[in-house]
C-alpha cells in the first residue's frame, strides 16, 4: 500500500512547490508552484475535477465519441487530465511531456503515476518527435509561473500538432488572457492556419474582457461537437460560454498569427489570479 502523501514545500525546477491536502476530501491534493495553482487531484476519484478549466477540457474529451484515445499531453504537473482519461476511457494510450523533472519526481513519489507514461523534457520537442497521424488528442496545458511555456503558441508548433493528429483528431489548449483578449485573438488566428474548425470555452466575464482568466480552445479539421459543448458549459457547476462559428471569427477579427520570428508571450496574470484560495 502506498504511504500517504506528505504535505509540505519542495524545491522544483521552476520554483518552490507546495503540496496541500484538500480540507473537504480525505485523499485529494493540490500542488502549487510559487503560489500559482498547478493541479488538483483526488486519488480516490480521478473523475472528480476541481478546477473549472479542467472540467471544460474534460467536457471536450467526453464529447469525442466513445472508446480509448491515443493522447499526448504537453504539461503534466500532477497529471489531472491523464488520470481522468485513464479512468473515463480505459485502455487509452497516453504520453505526458513535462519540463520540470523535479516536479515530476515529486508527483511520482507523493501522488503516484501508476499506469501513466511521463517523460521529462521540452514539450515542443516531444511533439515534434512523434509519428505522423499518431494521436487522437493533443492537450497543451503548460505554464511556467502563470505564463504559457515558450514556443507553444506559434504557427510552427501548431503545424507540428496538426501533423501528429489523425484527420479527425482534436487539439485542445488552455491559455489565459485579460481585457480585450489580445493574446487569444492572435492565438485563434494561429490555430486557423492549420485547423478550419475552432471553439472556445470560458467564463462569460473573461470573454467580455472584464477580468483575467483561463480560456480553453479546441481545434480540429472536422466539425467540433459545439451543441454538446454549449449545453455542458451552460449547465456546469462553473457556467461557461461556448463560442464558435461566425461569433468566433468576429472575435478573432484581423488578428495576425504568431510565428517563431514574431513570438508573443502570453500575458502575465495579475497577482493572486491563479493562486490557492
Amino acid at each position: 500500500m502506498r504511504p500517504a502523501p506528505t504535505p509540505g514545500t519542495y524545491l522544483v525546477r521552476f520554483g518552490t512547490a507546495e503540496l496541500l491536502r484538500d480540507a473537504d476530501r480525505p485523499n485529494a491534493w493540490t500542488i502549487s508552484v510559487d503560489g500559482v495553482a498547478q493541479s488538483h487531484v483526488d486519488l480516490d476519484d480521478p473523475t472528480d475535477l476541481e478546477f473549472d478549466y479542467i472540467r471544460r477540457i474534460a467536457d471536450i474529451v467526453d464529447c469525442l465519441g466513445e472508446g480509448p484515445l491515443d493522447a499526448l499531453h504537453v504539461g503534466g504537473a500532477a497529471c489531472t487530465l491523464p488520470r481522468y482519461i485513464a479512468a473515463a476511457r480505459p485502455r487509452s494510450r497516453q504520453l505526458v511531456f513535462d519540463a520540470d523533472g523535479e516536479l515530476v519526481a515529486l508527483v511520482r513519489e507523493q501522488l503516484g503515476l501508476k499506469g501513466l507514461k511521463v517523460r521529462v523534457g521540452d514539450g515542443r520537442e516531444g511533439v515534434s518527435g512523434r509519428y505522423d497521424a499518431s494521436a487522437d488528442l493533443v492537450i497543451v496545458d503548460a505554464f511556467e509561473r502563470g505564463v504559457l511555456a515558450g514556443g507553444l503558441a506559434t504557427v510552427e508548433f501548431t503545424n507540428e500538432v496538426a501533423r501528429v493528429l489523425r484527420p479527425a483528431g482534436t487539439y485542445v489548449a488552455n491559455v489565459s488572457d485579460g481585457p480585450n483578449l489580445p493574446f487569444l485573438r492572435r492565438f485563434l488566428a494561429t490555430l486557423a492556419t492549420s485547423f478550419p474548425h475552432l471553439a472556445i470555452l470560458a467564463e462569460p466575464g473573461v470573454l467580455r474582457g472584464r477580468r483575467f482568466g483561463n480560456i480553453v480552445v479546441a481545434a480540429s479539421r472536422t466539425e467540433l461537437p459545439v451543441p454538446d459543448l454549449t449545453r455542458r458549459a451552460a449547465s456546469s457547476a462553473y457556467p461557461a460560454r461556448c463560442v464558435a462559428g461566425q461569433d468566433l471569427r468576429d472575435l478573432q477579427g484581423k488578428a495576425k498569427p504568431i510565428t517563431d520570428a514574431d513570438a508573443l508571450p502570453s500575458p502575465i496574470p495579475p497577482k493572486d489570479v491563479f493562486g490557492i484560495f
Side-chain angles (χ1 to χ4, degrees), residues 59-69 88-89 225 228:
D59 284 342
I60 295 171
V61 173
D62 291 346
C63 290
L64 296 181
E66 299 180 354
L69 295 169
R89 293 173 178 262
D228 287 344

Side-chain angles (χ1 to χ4, degrees), residues 15-230:
T16 300
E18 184 173 14
L19 181 63
L20 296 171
R21 185 189 299 273
D22 190 315
D24 299 320
R25 280 161 282 194
N27 204 15
W29 301 84
T30 298
I31 285 184
S32 66
V33 177
D34 287 350
V36 178
Q38 301 288 315
S39 294
H40 179 280
V41 294
D42 187 332
L43 299 181
D44 292 334
D45 181 8
T47 66
D48 180 16
L49 304 176
E50 176 73 10
F51 294 170
D52 55 354
Y53 83 89
I54 292 288
R55 180 65 261 175
R56 291 167 195 152
I57 296 176
D59 284 342
I60 295 171
V61 173
D62 291 346
C63 290
L64 296 181
E66 299 180 354
L69 295 169
D70 290 334
L72 291 179
H73 302 260
V74 177
C79 291
T80 306
L81 283 164
R83 295 173 197 266
Y84 177 84
I85 292 174
R89 293 173 178 262
R91 302 184 306 282
S92 289
R93 295 184 298 182
Q94 302 188 80
L95 176 59
V96 182
F97 296 104
D98 196 294
D100 194 328
E102 290 82 359
L103 182 59
V104 171
L106 169 64
V107 171
R108 192 182 303 277
E109 176 185 3
Q110 295 293 332
L111 304 177
L113 289 172
K114 184 178 180 180
L116 297 177
K117 189 175 183 180
V118 181
R119 290 184 183 174
V120 175
D122 180 83
R124 177 164 169 168
E125 292 179 2
V127 170
S128 295
R130 306 305 296 171
Y131 291 115
D132 293 359
S134 58
D136 302 305
L137 176 66
V138 174
I139 298 176
V140 171
D141 182 19
F143 282 74
E144 297 171 7
R145 299 181 177 91
V147 176
L148 184 67
L152 299 179
T154 68
V155 168
E156 290 82 357
F157 177 68
T158 301
N159 289 341
E160 283 299 288
V161 172
R163 177 188 62 79
V164 168
L165 281 171
R166 295 182 175 121
T170 303
Y171 176 26
V172 182
N174 173 42
V175 301
S176 60
D177 209 352
N180 296 320
L181 305 171
F183 180 80
L184 174 66
R185 295 173 196 273
R186 292 198 64 185
F187 186 62
L188 292 173
T190 302
L191 296 188
T193 62
S194 291
F195 299 101
H197 300 283
L198 304 175
I200 59 175
L201 294 162
E203 192 269 328
V206 174
L207 290 179
R208 295 190 188 106
R210 293 178 179 173
R211 69 178 186 85
F212 195 97
N214 293 104
I215 304 114
V216 172
V217 185
S220 181
R221 285 172 292 221
T222 62
E223 291 281 352
L224 290 163
V226 171
D228 287 344
L229 290 175
T230 300

